[in-house]
Amino acid sequence: MPVPTVVNVLLYGADLADPVEGATMGGALLEIYGDNFRLPTPPPADYTPDPGARAPHTVEVVFRDTVSGAEEFATTVRVLASNKIRLHTPPTPIPVSFDPSDSTNNVIGEGLVDIVIRNLDDNEDPIPGEELVLSDAFTYRRPKLDATAPSDLERMVRAYIVAWMKHVIPNVLRTQHVDYDANPEDALNYVAVASLPAIVLVGPDTPINRFYSINADEETTLPDGTPIVSRKPVTVDLNFDVVIMSDNPMEILALNQLAIQFIDRNPWIYIDRDPDDAAAGTVRFEHAYQPGGDFASQTRPNNSSLEVVSGSVVIRGFPIADLASFAGEGITRAPVPLDSSTDSAISLDVGPMPE
């Protein structure tokens, strides 16, 4: 068979102008267009599918560091036709290196890599002479921590802080216990409390929530009609400790009542579904006390002149889906049936492809 050729490498579902790049942790869905990709041998007409079998691998795709030569193999490589491959990127093969004399020269897994495409024989061994190297074909980078494009988790926490500010008092902070507090369990000593009264939200802790978890990928379409399957999110709870502080013993009682009413009257916390599209509406998440998290006084005799009440609340079932700043990152695969007549080659009835 001739040597494979490649015309284009694209992120599935992304615009043609988007850079061909993905997170260092891998998982981006790529499509490679070219020719001479080896297809599986069709099974005989009397073949009986084996539920435990899979189609043999006929092509392997390797991501290779251009400097060290370190390699990582792409996962779920699917030869959709002799001119089309779809795959998930592996974690970055670029090793971590540090320059003790100049930290700006440190390499932390980011950079350009080559993509190597090899046809395989029926034993899944490389066929001599049927290999193609695409130089500098893919860029790995870490997600940007960009305040102008906050993650969904950042938006949720900000919305929650704003809700406390709107309905209880405006002096609401999010922070942690100070590192040098010998008794952090007393919930009395906090940084950044410049004035009283104040409410401090500590957290969130993010335990996995199995009850609200989505157990299947979601089939949907992009605005241009391209069919996609979105990666199922990791579903977590957002657990907060709420600490209310005042130097007035009567004011703390009023604040305690307001906090109880706020939680009771707001069983849902809302955020915009799409921060760039108001017409997309909002998404709501259950808001309640954590078990045993009712508000209780933390003030003890001779401990502090500060009046303190604290409790624990939870926002349940928050989905952590895609990585911010990556085009098409939340797409895990194309739906079945496949999206064009040229994809029919993968429909050979020889068992499931490995995930």
Side-chain angles (χ1 to χ4, degrees):
M1 187 171 180
V3 177
T5 61
V6 167
V7 176
N8 216 340
V9 179
L10 302 172
L11 287 167
Y12 185 83
D15 294 332
L16 292 178
D18 289 327
V20 184
E21 63 179 14
T24 53
M25 65 183 70
L29 185 61
L30 285 189
E31 287 190 327
I32 299 177
Y33 294 86
D35 202 2
N36 300 325
F37 304 138
R38 184 170 183 260
L39 292 169
T41 302
D46 59 350
Y47 174 76
T48 301
D50 180 356
R54 63 166 175 81
H57 295 292
T58 58
V59 173
E60 70 179 11
V61 181
V62 179
F63 286 63
R64 177 189 293 165
D65 179 25
T66 58
V67 178
S68 69
E71 296 182 341
E72 291 285 349
F73 286 81
T75 57
T76 57
V77 178
R78 289 177 166 87
V79 184
L80 305 180
S82 62
N83 63 353
K84 185 177 182 181
I85 299 173
R86 188 175 290 149
L87 59 95
H88 286 97
T89 59
T92 176
I94 302 173
V96 175
S97 63
F98 298 96
D99 185 344
S101 62
D102 185 357
S103 62
T104 61
N105 293 329
N106 292 345
V107 177
I108 316 293
E110 294 185 303
L112 287 165
V113 297
D114 298 339
I115 297 179
V116 183
I117 302 172
R118 302 185 184 110
N119 281 337
L120 304 178
D121 61 22
D122 291 340
N123 295 319
E124 300 188 350
D125 294 322
I127 299 174
E130 297 190 18
E131 175 180 298
L132 174 68
V133 178
L134 305 175
S135 299
D136 297 339
F138 187 80
T139 301
Y140 280 101
R141 66 174 177 83
R142 294 185 304 279
K144 295 177 181 177
L145 301 179
D146 188 351
T148 63
S151 67
D152 290 342
L153 180 57
E154 291 176 80
R155 295 196 301 118
M156 182 75 255
V157 172
R158 289 177 182 176
Y160 193 47
I161 292 172
V162 169
W164 278 93
M165 295 173 69
K166 287 171 61 176
H167 302 305
V168 187
I169 57 173
N171 189 21
V172 180
L173 311 166
R174 178 190 168 271
T175 186
Q176 301 288 341
H177 297 289
V178 293
D179 292 339
Y180 51 81
D181 186 356
N183 297 295
E185 68 278 359
D186 60 21
L188 296 177
N189 299 313
Y190 285 86
V191 295
V193 180
S195 62
L196 295 172
I199 294 176
V200 177
L201 300 180
V202 184
D205 296 331
T206 52
I208 300 296
N209 183 310
R210 299 297 182 189
F211 182 82
Y212 282 112
S213 292
I214 298 173
N215 296 318
D217 297 333
E218 179 184 5
E219 295 193 15
T220 183
T221 58
L222 297 175
D224 64 359
T226 301
I228 63 170
V229 177
S230 297
R231 181 179 290 109
K232 60 185 177 184
V234 178
T235 305
V236 300
D237 288 341
L238 307 181
N239 292 343
F240 292 90
D241 290 329
V242 181
V243 182
I244 306 170
M245 293 172 282
S246 173
D247 55 3
N248 184 316
M250 301 310 295
E251 184 178 56
I252 196 70
L253 299 177
L255 288 171
N256 191 1
Q257 176 175 318
L258 281 175
I260 293 170
Q261 291 172 320
F262 165 65
I263 296 171
D264 179 66
R265 298 185 185 188
N266 291 272
W268 306 99
I269 299 296
Y270 296 81
I271 61 169
D272 291 334
R273 185 180 300 275
D274 183 345
D276 299 320
D277 182 8
T282 59
V283 184
R284 70 179 189 176
F285 299 94
E286 184 181 346
H287 178 222
Y289 290 105
Q290 293 183 45
D294 296 356
F295 283 100
S297 173
Q298 303 299 321
T299 306
R300 297 294 180 265
N302 302 319
N303 199 351
S304 172
S305 60
L306 199 62
E307 298 282 341
V308 178
V309 171
S310 69
S312 300
V313 295
V314 58
I315 298 172
R316 292 195 175 98
F318 186 79
I320 297 179
D322 54 357
L323 295 170
S325 75
F326 289 104
E329 200 283 329
I331 302 170
T332 184
R333 58 185 172 87
V336 176
L338 296 164
D339 55 9
S340 77
S341 59
T342 62
D343 290 351
S344 60
I346 199 175
S347 65
L348 298 174
D349 194 8
V350 293
M353 292 293 288
E355 289 292 343

